[in-house]
Amino acid sequence: SAVISQKPSRDICQRGTSLTIQCQVDSQVTMMFWYRQQPGQSLTLIATANQGSEATYESGFVIDKFPISRPNLTFSTLTVSNMSPEDSSIYLCSVELGGFSRYSTDTQYFGPGTRLTVL
Amino acid sequence: AQSVAQPEDQVNVAEGNPLTVKCTYSVSGNPYLFWYVQYPNRGLQFLLKYITGDNLVKGSYGFEAEFNKSQTSFHLKKPSALVSDSALYFCAVRDIGETGRRALTFGSGTRLQVQP
């Protein structure tokens, strides 16, 4: 497994501002993911972030709103830009330790999440 | 496209009784199936997964799940519930037939309440 930390753990932000969330892993990982969990909802994938390539965004999420960096194999950031109250959610990063094969049987492990409230 | 259904928003069970949390899935290829648990103000914790082989999978904290291909189900079970099992449970699927996609699709979650 992997130990994953996220900063900040929670924040309250004003409308129109931006927040960058950091995800740090204690070992080198191939694949990292960013999910959003809106209040009382399930998890929705925002994007997949692989080191050395551009993040791949899911339908409904765009790079201008959620820019992602993946500078190395242990770290990633997600920025929530020009925030509105609808962005109030828990943002979670997750990792897989295995390779890129679609047949990889690896488990996805999640960080503790960042609880964002936008006023 | 892949999807997961958890038909029960909440499951109530008395401590010491067996519990079942239901999950059905839809994929175009072969599924990898997962159960996660979320405690208040915590991230998701991995419980167990089905990849291949034995249909009965055993995981953490005494939980197990049974893969049923004909019914496309992967129900989570525990023989004797504990009050500390009270949490939000998520079923997730990954379709290995979907090239290049490693992300999980989650169900809506089921809140388990175990009464003392």
Side-chain angles (χ1 to χ4, degrees):
Chain A
S1 64
V3 177
I4 306 165
S5 60
Q6 286 186 232
K7 289 182 181 180
S9 59
R10 58 177 63 223
D11 207 342
I12 300 173
C13 300
Q14 295 298 318
R15 180 196 298 262
T17 63
S18 297
L19 176 72
T20 295
I21 301 168
Q22 299 178 6
C23 178
Q24 180 75 52
V25 191
D26 69 340
S27 56
Q28 294 185 339
V29 297
T30 306
M31 307 194 74
M32 296 183 78
F33 306 87
W34 286 98
Y35 289 84
R36 180 176 74 181
Q37 185 179 19
Q38 294 178 298
Q41 304 286 321
S42 185
L43 282 77
T44 301
L45 181 68
I46 298 172
T48 301
N50 297 329
Q51 196 267 337
S53 63
E54 295 291 322
T56 303
Y57 289 82
E58 296 295 297
S59 175
F61 297 96
V62 295
I63 187 171
D64 289 346
K65 175 67 176 177
F66 297 101
I68 288 171
S69 77
R70 180 79 199 274
N72 57 52
L73 292 175
T74 64
F75 187 78
S76 178
T77 67
L78 169 75
T79 299
V80 186
S81 303
N82 188 25
M83 288 183 286
S84 67
E86 291 71 35
D87 294 320
S88 297
S89 297
I90 299 173
Y91 292 86
L92 301 104
C93 71
S94 69
V95 305
E96 282 192 19
L97 305 179
F100 288 107
S101 169
R102 66 175 175 177
Y103 299 107
S104 169
T105 60
D106 196 28
T107 299
Q108 218 169 102
Y109 296 98
F110 285 79
T114 296
R115 183 179 294 271
L116 171 63
T117 302
V118 184
L119 303 177
Chain B
Q2 53 198 10
S3 65
V4 178
Q6 292 182 243
E8 302 154 318
D9 290 336
Q10 180 156 325
V11 170
N12 297 310
V13 63
E15 188 174 31
N17 283 1
L19 69 87
T20 299
V21 182
K22 296 179 180 177
C23 171
T24 58
Y25 66 89
S26 175
V27 297
S28 57
N30 291 320
Y32 289 170
L33 293 155
F34 303 81
W35 276 101
Y36 289 85
V37 59
Q38 186 176 38
Y39 296 98
N41 301 313
R42 303 271 295 276
L44 266 67
Q45 295 180 28
F46 169 72
L47 279 179
L48 51 79
K49 67 182 177 184
Y50 171 82
I51 302 298
T52 188
D54 194 346
N55 289 343
L56 185 64
V57 179
K58 294 187 183 297
S60 306
Y61 312 122
F63 284 94
E64 58 189 30
E66 187 166 11
F67 171 66
N68 187 318
K69 187 172 184 177
S70 63
Q71 297 185 4
T72 61
S73 67
F74 190 55
H75 302 328
L76 181 70
K77 301 180 180 183
K78 187 173 182 181
S80 178
L82 300 172
V83 172
S84 57
D85 293 330
S86 299
L88 187 58
Y89 290 80
F90 289 99
C91 181
V93 68
R94 178 155 73 84
D95 184 353
I96 63 171
E98 198 166 342
T99 303
R101 181 174 174 79
R102 292 276 290 276
L104 299 174
T105 298
F106 283 85
S108 55
T110 298
R111 185 163 301 282
L112 174 65
Q113 196 71 40
V114 181
Q115 285 108 13

